[in-house]
Amino acid sequence: GECSAFKERFMECLRQSGYESAACRQSAMAYLECRMDRRARRQLMANEPLEKLGFKDLINEKSGEKPEKS
């Protein structure tokens, strides 16, 4: 239940966007961060770099960096 507020925000975003997951990536990332942060106490989820989970572009935006062109 520690991450239920993050999950609810993500689910609400999905409902409001017509289940368009791309519109809810910020919420998804926040939910995954919560689960990974609490993994040591509850074994909710293995800790993985968010870049590896497909959020590299959002991390760059968050830090103010420009995404690399590929």
Side-chain angles (χ1 to χ4, degrees), residues 6 9-10 13 20-34 50 54-55 57-63:
F6 291 97
R9 273 187 234 124
F10 174 61
C13 179
E20 180 62 45
S21 61
C24 302
R25 290 182 69 229
Q26 288 282 6
S27 299
M29 186 174 76
Y31 175 55
L32 290 174
E33 283 181 307
C34 177
L50 290 169
F55 294 103
D57 60 322
L58 295 180
I59 294 166
N60 289 341
E61 286 176 14
K62 201 174 176 180
S63 68

Side-chain angles (χ1 to χ4, degrees), residues 27-55:
S27 299
M29 186 174 76
Y31 175 55
L32 290 174
E33 283 181 307
C34 177
R35 290 185 54 98
M36 288 188 291
D37 287 347
R38 285 144 181 88
R39 74 174 177 82
R41 289 186 282 150
R42 304 271 187 196
Q43 296 296 319
L44 294 176
M45 179 178 180
N47 198 9
E48 289 287 340
L50 290 169
E51 294 88 350
K52 192 174 177 182
L53 298 174
F55 294 103

Side-chain angles (χ1 to χ4, degrees), residues 12-23:
E12 182 61 27
C13 179
L14 286 175
R15 285 188 287 272
Q16 289 180 357
S17 69
Y19 294 91
E20 180 62 45
S21 61

